[in-house]
Amino acid sequence: MSRQDTRAKVFAAAIELMAEQGYNATTVEAIAERAGVAKGTVFYNFGSKEALFAALLEHSIAKLAKALSAAAVGGSALAALDNVVLGQLRFFDEHGPLARVLLAEMWHTAWQEAVAQLREKALGVYAGVLREAVANGEVRAGLDVETAATALFGMVLTVSIERRALFPDRPLELTHKTLLELMHGRIT
């Protein structure tokens, strides 16, 4: 197994366990067992649980930002914004445990670098599309783009978690449509 494959297995195991029981209750031993690797393999690849979590956040935020950037297309800035929301919904539909970990664990002061990466890379996609919408007159002038970007990202993150946990049979398209109705009624 390649180092990249090993890291992917460890990341997947760590995300699942942290989503189930939280960062503090998750041990390196449990991560190794779930990943099907030796405990020493985890330490060899990451050095510590803290370094593993930092690498996991960096890796996951990069994947999320890539998905949001790829979704940020459309005939107008608002169409691109709609697509970014759908892209985030789809991403967290596929990576549900990550959504729970981000919401529960990432805001601790120990992970401020990861929060900065999230703001720059993922929320930055929202902010860029919103700036374009303001510049094009699609959204009211004077919109606090940074706060709006954070609010939209947080709203979609929370709704993604709720949908997976409480309404797994609710079509993603219905959730997307509802979010768009809320957004378009407030930001335009």
Side-chain angles (χ1 to χ4, degrees):
M1 179 181 333
S2 74
R3 185 166 191 221
Q4 186 176 359
D5 291 339
T6 300
R7 288 173 66 93
K9 286 178 76 169
V10 170
F11 282 160
I15 281 285
E16 289 170 5
L17 285 165
M18 288 177 197
E20 291 168 11
Q21 58 194 27
Y23 173 81
N24 288 332
T26 299
T27 65
V28 172
E29 292 84 1
I31 293 168
E33 184 178 325
R34 173 97 39 118
V37 300
K39 178 180 166 184
T41 301
V42 176
F43 285 114
Y44 173 78
N45 279 277
F46 300 102
S48 68
K49 181 174 126 177
E50 294 78 17
L52 163 61
F53 191 59
L56 172 71
L57 289 175
E58 183 178 326
H59 171 77
S60 300
I61 290 167
K63 281 176 56 174
L64 172 60
K66 184 177 179 182
L68 296 181
S69 293
V73 295
S76 67
L78 279 183
L81 180 63
D82 295 351
N83 289 331
V84 170
V85 169
L86 182 58
Q88 186 181 347
L89 285 169
R90 285 182 175 151
F91 183 87
F92 287 130
D93 192 49
E94 183 178 340
H95 305 283
L98 174 62
R100 290 193 310 275
V101 169
L102 287 178
L103 192 62
E105 303 294 343
M106 202 169 132
W107 307 105
H108 299 276
T109 38
W111 313 117
Q112 290 307 304
E113 186 175 321
V115 171
Q117 286 180 7
L118 181 69
R119 286 207 57 72
E120 176 189 340
K121 294 178 178 177
L123 275 70
V125 174
Y126 274 100
V129 172
L130 285 167
R131 276 190 205 91
E132 184 180 338
V134 169
N136 294 346
E138 297 174 72
V139 173
R140 68 173 172 79
L143 178 73
D144 178 352
V145 168
E146 298 302 323
T147 299
T150 301
L152 290 172
F153 180 85
M155 175 180 70
V156 177
L157 176 64
T158 304
V159 168
S160 295
I161 293 168
E162 180 195 53
R163 182 179 163 274
R164 281 184 61 97
L166 302 177
F167 307 105
D169 296 330
R170 180 183 292 157
L172 191 69
E173 295 73 21
L174 177 61
T175 302
H176 182 237
K177 181 181 178 193
T178 301
L179 290 173
L180 296 186
E181 289 170 353
L182 287 170
M183 283 176 18
H184 289 278
R186 295 290 175 214
I187 65 171
T188 56

